[in-house]
Amino acid sequence: MERVLSGTRPTDRLHLGNLLGAIENWKILEGQIGKVFDECFFMIADWHALTSEYENPQALKNNIREVAIDYLSSGLDPNKSTLFIQSHVKEHAELHLLLSMLTPLAWLERNPTYKEQLQEIKEKDLKTYGFLGYPVLQASDILAYKATRVPVGLDQLPHLELAREMVRRFNFIYKKEVFPEPQSALTKTPKVLGMDGRKMSKSYGNAIYLSDTGEVLKKKVMNTLTDPARVTRKDKGHPEICTIYSYHEIFSPAETQTVAHECREALRGCTDCKMHLFGNMKSRLAPIHEKRAELEKNPRHLSEVLETGTQKARKFAQDTLTEVRDVMGL
Ligand code: TRP
Ligand code: SF4
């Protein structure tokens, strides 16, 4: 049987892109527990967040809580999946250290994700040992649970390839098949645009968060970019270049034809179109918003869920580490 592990860095609350890109997929995998998968582990990768947020760790604490609420409110089931906080299972750190001994520097230095981020992110000093070792920590997350399936987006594939290389090297050096080679479970996701038409991302400040309810959500929808050719209500539109239309494709699947037609023929105005979308979004997100409100009222329940998950994860990781120390002769 296969085992699933994935995680998110709690650098921010989760947005619609995270829901549709990752969490919805995790829920499908969770639904296959007992058939395809033995177990699913979904963690909050706070140590990974620290690789870039180390100068401002106070914000992390709150984001960890927010992401935990996001996980549960979007319908991950703690009775099925094991939900936990990475830093609460110290075995990840030990495995990270042991794997770092056998990981050649060159593997990490040529990691495309690393090179890209060094180029792109100028406002933080990422020339640290921890940031370079990001994939070693990620491999530890996966290998501590001997996970075979890792649901991730395309950008994470280099990290998975590195995890497989570490597995091969470990098995070669210690002559034992301790770890299976983890495979990706690529998320086939709709590309979710942000309010400005670029990819939805925290760093662009264009995200709609799962925690955006009521007036906040409405305002974001109303402020979203539409087809600039529609200066007046009488101008015909081009839904294919309109961000609101791309949301209709997600939230109004039965009505996209109508929306597109009425837009092209100038039979609907953008304000009405946005109100229409807002209505559909509100109903689709209502269960998430309701669950969030409940969870916010009951912090003790949230801590209990995380504590139960942590204990389960820790037990598993401890067994793995015992085996690792043993084959290494430590
Ligand atoms: N690096 C992943 C991301 O940024 C998050 C992550 C941390 C992760 N540990 C993991 C994903 C282990 C899969 C498996 O999205
Ligand atoms: Fe976009 Fe709707 Fe306006 Fe057309 S009518 S441009 S789809 S918001």
Side-chain angles (χ1 to χ4, degrees), residues 226-227 230 237-239 242 244-245 259 263 268-270 273-274:
T226 65
D227 177 2
R230 297 206 68 191
H238 310 82
C242 172
I244 290 290
Y245 183 73
V259 174
C263 172
R268 66 162 55 207
C270 290
C273 192
K274 287 173 169 176

Side-chain angles (χ1 to χ4, degrees), residues 45-65:
D46 56 340
W47 275 337
H48 274 111
L50 207 54
T51 61
S52 58
E53 311 302 309
Y54 59 91
E55 285 182 294
N56 187 20
Q58 312 81 271
L60 259 180
K61 213 165 185 160
N62 192 41
N63 282 331
I64 291 171
R65 182 177 160 274

Side-chain angles (χ1 to χ4, degrees), residues 133-192:
Y134 187 109
V136 186
L137 183 57
Q138 186 160 344
S140 312
D141 301 337
I142 299 167
L143 301 182
Y145 306 95
K146 302 187 180 186
T148 52
R149 284 280 153 192
V150 183
V152 282
L154 272 175
D155 63 312
Q156 293 296 313
L157 291 186
H159 292 162
L160 265 179
E161 181 54 35
L162 278 169
R164 285 191 292 273
E165 292 192 77
M166 287 175 223
V167 167
R168 292 193 282 266
R169 195 160 157 81
F170 185 96
N171 290 344
F172 175 77
I173 296 176
Y174 304 110
K175 317 247 177 327
K176 288 273 162 41
E177 305 290 314
V178 175
F179 299 120
E181 287 188 24
Q183 306 299 325
S184 63
L186 261 193
T187 319
K188 23 176 185 10
T189 42
K191 184 162 163 221
V192 184

